[in-house]
């Protein structure tokens, strides 16, 4: 995992150029689903790049340097970048205050609290005591309906391009309800939807369209899902 506590020289970060960005920009523009690329303050983007230890020529680094993040498919998926305070989307450094210690890097989340992380090199990389599956550099996903971390066999580039390219539709087919588009697009990027009955219960999945849905703080829902995921893992 290319995360380090030592800041790279400016020349290494920025002046080498960002060959990944034109490709990413074209991919985001030509996506099969809606994509809103949020603006970023250049200084904030560079600061975020330094803090996460990425390089400007990587897809992850280019997203941090050139975007405030992205809202994919009416905001169902929030992709973290250099941060956009105006739209209340935090930056990669803010959601990963100590990635070396954590052993993973949070790169995106869905509106129901599911999260995508890049797995670190440590074979014992954990999220709230739960050991992450998969290989170093692989995207792992915590499903809000399964309460289980799963390896996706995708690198960051695969993850972003595939979901924007339309894979998000099938990926979330069983977790969407009639009219979700308008409802989800109204949820601020720093908040998530908490459903009752929860989608990790049989009743919740069966009554998805009729569930009570409330926008809550992201950290609140993350904490609850982490606690339940750890409890589930301890039982198995």
């Amino acid at each position: 995992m290319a995360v380090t506590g030592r800041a790279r020289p400016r020349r290494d970060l920025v002046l080498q150029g960002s060959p990944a960005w034109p490709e990413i920009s074209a991919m985001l523009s030509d996506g099969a689903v809606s994509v809103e690329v949020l603006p970023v303050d250049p200084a904030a983007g560079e600061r975020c790049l330094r803090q996460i230890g990425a390089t400007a020529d990587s897809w992850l680094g280019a997203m941090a340097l050139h975007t405030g993040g992205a809202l994919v498919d009416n905001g169902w998926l929030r992709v973290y970048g250099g941060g956009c305070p105006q739209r209340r989307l935090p930056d990669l450094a803010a959601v990963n205050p100590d990635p070396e210690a954590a052993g993973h890097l949070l790169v995106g989340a869905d509106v129901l609290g599911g999260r995508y992380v890049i797995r670190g090199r440590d074979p014992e990389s954990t999220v709230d005591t739960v050991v992450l599956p998969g290989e170093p550099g692989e995207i792992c996903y915590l499903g809000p309906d399964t309460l289980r971390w799963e390896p996706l066999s995708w690198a960051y580039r695969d993850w972003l391009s595939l979901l924007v390219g339309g894979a998000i539709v099938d990926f979330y087919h069983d977790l969407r309800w009639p009219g979700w588009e308008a409802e989800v697009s109204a949820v601020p990027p720093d908040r998530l939807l908490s459903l009752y009955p929860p989608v990790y219960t049989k009743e919740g999945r069966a009554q998805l369209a009729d569930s009570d849905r409330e926008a809550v703080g992201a950290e609140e829902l993350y904490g609850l899902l982490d606690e339940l995921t750890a409890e589930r893992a301890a039982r198995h």
Side-chain angles (χ1 to χ4, degrees), residues 27 30-33 35 72 158-169:
M27 179 273 296
D30 297 335
V33 295
V35 179
V72 179
D158 303 322
W159 167 70
L160 187 57
S161 59
L162 285 170
L163 290 187
V164 169
I168 191 171
V169 176

Side-chain angles (χ1 to χ4, degrees), residues 126-131 226 230-231 233:
T126 63
V127 176
D128 194 39
T129 74
V130 178
V131 177
D226 281 344
E231 292 176 357

Side-chain angles (χ1 to χ4, degrees), residues 11-191:
R11 182 176 185 84
D12 288 347
L13 284 169
V14 181
L15 298 186
Q16 65 183 357
S18 184
W21 176 241
E23 184 180 5
I24 297 172
S25 180
M27 179 273 296
L28 295 173
S29 298
D30 297 335
V33 295
S34 66
V35 179
E36 181 183 0
V37 180
L38 303 183
V40 65
D41 176 82
E46 182 177 334
R47 183 167 56 251
C48 178
L49 192 68
R50 290 180 182 279
Q51 290 175 322
I52 64 172
T55 58
D57 59 350
S58 68
W59 273 50
L60 179 66
M63 286 294 293
L65 185 62
H66 294 282
T67 80
L71 304 178
V72 179
D73 208 4
N74 297 283
W76 186 279
L77 172 66
R78 296 89 182 277
V79 179
Y80 296 116
C84 184
Q86 306 95 305
R87 295 297 304 278
R88 296 165 55 178
L89 186 68
D91 62 61
L92 278 161
V95 298
N96 294 285
D98 193 353
E100 281 291 346
H104 63 268
L105 194 76
L106 176 63
V107 294
D110 60 52
V111 73
L112 300 183
R115 273 166 290 162
Y116 297 89
V117 304
I118 300 176
R119 196 194 194 289
R121 292 187 296 265
D122 188 341
E124 295 300 315
S125 294
T126 63
V127 176
D128 194 39
T129 74
V130 178
V131 177
L132 288 171
E135 300 296 327
E138 184 175 357
I139 294 284
C140 294
Y141 174 67
L142 174 64
D145 54 333
T146 64
L147 300 178
R148 182 173 62 245
W149 283 100
E150 301 179 37
L152 298 183
S153 301
W154 296 339
Y156 180 86
R157 173 176 179 158
D158 303 322
W159 167 70
L160 187 57
S161 59
L162 285 170
L163 290 187
V164 169
I168 191 171
V169 176
D170 288 336
F171 196 88
Y172 287 108
H173 179 267
D174 295 332
L175 290 177
R176 290 175 165 177
W177 55 93
W180 66 267
E181 297 92 339
E183 186 173 352
V184 168
S185 64
V187 179
D190 62 345
R191 297 180 74 77

